[in-house]
Every structure is written in C-alpha cells, then in structure tokens.
Amino acid sequence: MSNLALYPVGLFFVLSAAHFARSRIDSRATARYTCYGTALLGAALLVLAPPTIRAVQGTGVAVLAVLAIVLGDGMRDGAAAAIRLLVPALRAADTAHAAQAGNAEAPGNAARAVHRHEVRGGLALLGTVLGLRLALITAAAPGLAGDDLTVGPELSARLALAGYTAVGMLHTTVCLVALLRELVRRARAAGPGRLGTGLRLLTGGLVAGLLWNAWSMDDVLRAAATGSQDGPEDTLCAVLGGLCAALIAAGLGSTLWPAAAGAVRGWAHAHRRYRALTPLWRDLHTVLPQIALDPARRLPLPPRDPQFALYRRIIEIHDARLILRQHCDPRTAQWLDQATRRFPPPCDHAAATAEAAALAAALELAASGAVPEAAAPEAVLPAAPGTTATDTMDGEAEHLAHLARVYATCPAVAEVRTRARAERARAASAAGALR
C-alpha cells in the first residue's frame, strides 16, 4: 500500500493545477506559474511512483523504465523552475498594483521588464540543469535492477550518477528557498489573521518540500559509494510529499474556506427555495405545460445549477400567473370571505392568502379550458402589497416561496380550491346535459 501512496499526492497536485488554471487570480503570471508547477510536480509523482516504473519495466524493454525515471526527474526540475518564477511574478504583481493605485506607468513598466529578465534567467538555468543532467545520465548509462538504478563499478560512472542526482537536488533547493524567503517576508508583513495563517501554512509546506528534496542526499551518497540508488520514489518520499500536500492544501484552504463556505451556503439556499416552489410550480405546469422553458427536463433530479434553475422557475411561475389572469373567477372573493371566516389566516398571511386563493381558483377554471363569462376587468390575480415589486431575484424568490407555502398549506386556500373544483364539475355536468 505504501507504494500506492504517491498516487493521491500526485493527483492532488494535478487537480490543484486544474483549479489554478480556472482561477481568477489578479496576476495572470502568478496563476500560470502556479498551474505549471503543480501540474508538473503531480505528473512527476505519478510517473515516478513504483507501480508505474514496474509497469513500464514489465514491458521487457529495460531502457524504457530508465527513460521514464529521467522523464519524471525532468518534470520535477520543470516544477521547481516554475516555483522559482513565482517570486518575480509576485513582486511584479505588487509593483503593478502599486503603480495602478498611484496612476504611474513607469514603475509598472519597470516591474514588467524585471519580471521578463528574471523569467529568461530562470528558463536559462532550467535549460542548463536539464542539459547537464542529461549529459550525466548518458555518461553513467544506468540500468534498472529491481527498484534501483545501477551503474558499473567504474568511478566515473558512479560519480556521474551521483552528480545527476546532486544537480537536480541543488536546483530544487535553490528554487524552493527563493520562494520560501518570499513567503516568509509576506507572512511577516501580513501579521495575524487569515492571510497570515495561510502564508505560514504554505511556508510549512515548502519546508516539508525541502525535507522531501533533501532526502535525495541519500541517493547521492549511495550512488557515489555503491553505484546504485533508488529509481522511483520510496515510502519516505510519499510521507514527506503527503505532508507537503497537506500543508499546502491547508494554506490555500485558509484563504478559500470563507469563499467556499459562502458558495456552499448560496447553493443550499437556492436549492431550498427551488424545492419550496415545486408544489406550486407542479400544479401550474400540469395545467399549463407551455410555461416550461426546458421541456426536456422530466426526471425529478436536483438541478446542477440551482441558482439558474431557481431563476428559470421564477420566470415560469410568472408566465403562468400572466396566463391565469384571463381565468380569474369573480366569485373568488366571496368564496375566500366565507373560507376565512372558518379558517382565519394570520395577519401577515392575509395578502398571500388572497393571492394564493385567486391563483387556485383560476387554475381550476383553466383546467376546464373555459373563461368565465362574468369576468370583470378588475378581476385579476391580486398581489401581496409591497412584495411582488422586488428589485432582486432573492426578494422575488422569497415572496414566491411564501406564496407557495400558503398555497399548499392554508386551509382557506384549500376551501376555495374545493369550491372552484365543485363549480367546475357542476359546469361540466350542465354542459353534458345540454348535449
């Protein structure tokens, strides 16, 4: 099981890269380098996991397993370079923000020039490291015995293998230390609070990364002394990698938790209101199926985007109310007056009760397909004063949710619905007798 531990760590970094690729960080360079670094590191861990190397080794072509190890090491070098480039990107973003605040173009242009210069320097260093490591591994000409890279007994081969690992370790150390110093400086400037806590957790993640990288010294010493070293990552690397990933996740989470919690609360709130409108919408849709903006949706599944689904449901209910205006029965007020004598509604429900009763009676009449002959121009669906003319979707959703509750639970509304249904049945019987 320990051999599989690198897979969740690698997947964490790959998924983090996908998150940063879609993020809206102000500095595009910062988001880009973070995405590159996490993606390359995650891919390297997936490639260097022992089961992956053994699967490649099982093909019977020994050189492929060595090439896979070299590819994974190269990805780690690229990830380290991307991490190092975060430093000038962060500084350039700070300078650009300061320039915008002061309406000064020169500092912003100078910061971008310095950023481009440091990026070129970082890429040149990466190219040098990759070239040197490739030359050293070619000179060592290693093979793979079990999980170990092995070379011949010659001193030159052992030193070449040790140098291959040492160059990568030193490059990663330089890159991590550069970002670590920048994060320590920012954590001190941020002080206590959510941002400072997040930066300190990220700093801890980089320290764990340094320990993870320092474990390569064991490979350097073994290669120089015995001509062999670990090919794929070992169990301790998985532990240190998991610690690094956990601290980085906690650091990012400390700043993302409030936004994530707000998003979850918004989703739950929209979904709850969406479900609250369901009884009213279902009755309206049964009689007036043309109101559905998405006729293909038939399964009673939770909406993937409850905010959009709630907005659509509000529009559909309003469309139904407009259609039902021509079906308002002038006797509704009399029926409601009689019903409220038996079932007096609370004072704060009186307006919603009148609207729900008119809606229920009009819906029963519309179900028969008839328009009342005595309908007066003023016989329209009443609205709760001061509630329908809302400026926000939240306000409108709250009003309709309250209307739906009254429509579904108020005894007076049920009494009016029963009277309207009886009148509809009586009218249908009379029409049948005339035929």
Side-chain angles (χ1 to χ4, degrees):
M1 289 299 293
S2 61
N3 289 336
L4 299 176
L6 280 173
Y7 284 115
V9 179
L11 286 175
F12 165 78
F13 285 112
V14 171
L15 294 176
S16 298
H19 166 72
F20 285 115
R22 300 178 57 187
S23 66
R24 300 183 180 274
I25 299 176
D26 291 341
S27 172
R28 287 179 293 178
T30 302
R32 184 167 61 249
Y33 296 141
T34 305
C35 178
Y36 292 163
T38 51
L40 287 171
L41 181 56
L45 294 178
L46 295 178
V47 170
L48 292 174
T52 304
I53 300 302
R54 291 187 193 124
V56 176
Q57 193 177 10
T59 61
V61 184
V63 70
L64 287 181
V66 177
L67 290 177
I69 293 173
V70 173
L71 175 63
D73 289 339
M75 288 179 178
R76 290 214 319 181
D77 293 335
I83 290 172
R84 169 67 180 82
L85 292 178
L86 276 172
V87 178
L90 290 170
R91 292 174 180 171
D94 290 344
T95 306
H97 290 159
Q100 290 177 0
N103 296 322
E105 286 292 332
N109 294 334
R112 284 189 289 271
V114 171
H115 176 229
R116 286 192 294 268
H117 176 73
E118 295 196 20
V119 168
R120 285 194 291 267
L123 293 177
L125 177 61
L126 174 62
T128 302
V129 168
L130 291 176
L132 182 57
R133 296 193 80 188
L134 186 59
L136 289 169
I137 198 67
T138 302
L144 196 61
D147 286 342
D148 292 340
L149 277 176
T150 59
V151 295
E154 298 85 2
L155 179 61
S156 60
R158 286 185 282 134
L159 292 179
L161 182 60
Y164 167 79
T165 305
V167 169
M169 185 189 70
L170 291 175
H171 174 250
T172 302
T173 300
V174 169
C175 295
L176 290 178
V177 168
L179 183 58
L180 181 62
R181 291 175 60 186
E182 182 69 17
L183 288 182
V184 168
R185 182 183 66 83
R186 290 171 177 268
R188 288 175 178 172
R194 190 184 304 123
L195 178 60
T197 301
L199 289 172
R200 279 183 279 276
L201 287 171
L202 288 174
T203 300
L206 286 180
V207 171
L210 282 171
L211 294 175
W212 181 10
N213 181 63
W215 183 242
S216 299
M217 181 58 67
D218 174 68
D219 289 335
V220 174
L221 297 177
R222 279 187 59 197
T226 66
S228 68
Q229 66 174 39
D230 292 332
E233 299 280 10
D234 57 18
T235 303
L236 182 59
C237 288
V239 173
L240 292 174
L243 178 61
C244 177
L247 289 172
I248 290 175
L252 294 174
S254 65
T255 56
L256 296 177
W257 284 332
V264 171
R265 284 195 300 269
W267 184 92
H269 193 54
H271 190 269
R272 187 165 58 250
R273 284 180 170 173
Y274 176 85
R275 302 306 300 176
L277 297 182
T278 296
L280 174 60
W281 178 87
R282 186 186 297 119
D283 286 358
L284 295 172
H285 180 260
T286 300
V287 178
L288 305 171
Q290 67 269 27
I291 66 172
L293 298 177
D294 184 14
R297 185 178 178 85
R298 288 286 184 265
L299 296 176
L301 299 176
R304 287 179 296 179
D305 185 354
Q307 288 283 358
F308 178 75
L310 176 63
Y311 179 66
R312 184 174 60 197
R313 180 151 288 187
I314 289 173
I315 293 176
E316 291 170 347
I317 291 176
H318 274 302
D319 289 345
R321 293 169 73 197
L322 290 174
I323 295 172
L324 290 177
R325 284 176 177 269
Q326 61 179 326
H327 296 284
C328 287
D329 196 312
R331 296 170 292 181
T332 301
Q334 178 185 354
W335 295 338
L336 180 61
D337 182 61
Q338 295 171 357
T340 52
R341 290 178 185 174
R342 294 182 57 193
F343 309 104
C347 295
D348 57 341
H349 286 188
T353 300
E355 185 177 2
L359 197 60
L363 196 59
E364 291 296 330
L365 190 60
S368 67
V371 177
E373 297 179 1
E378 64 273 9
V380 297
L381 290 176
T387 56
T388 57
T390 54
D391 295 331
T392 63
M393 187 183 76
D394 284 343
E396 189 62 32
E398 186 64 33
H399 165 66
L400 289 179
H402 178 59
L403 176 64
R405 285 193 297 271
V406 173
Y407 174 86
T409 61
C410 181
V413 174
E415 181 77 10
V416 171
R417 184 185 296 110
T418 301
R419 290 289 301 272
R421 190 169 296 166
E423 291 296 329
R424 186 183 76 177
R426 187 178 300 111
S429 298
L434 290 176
R435 292 175 185 174

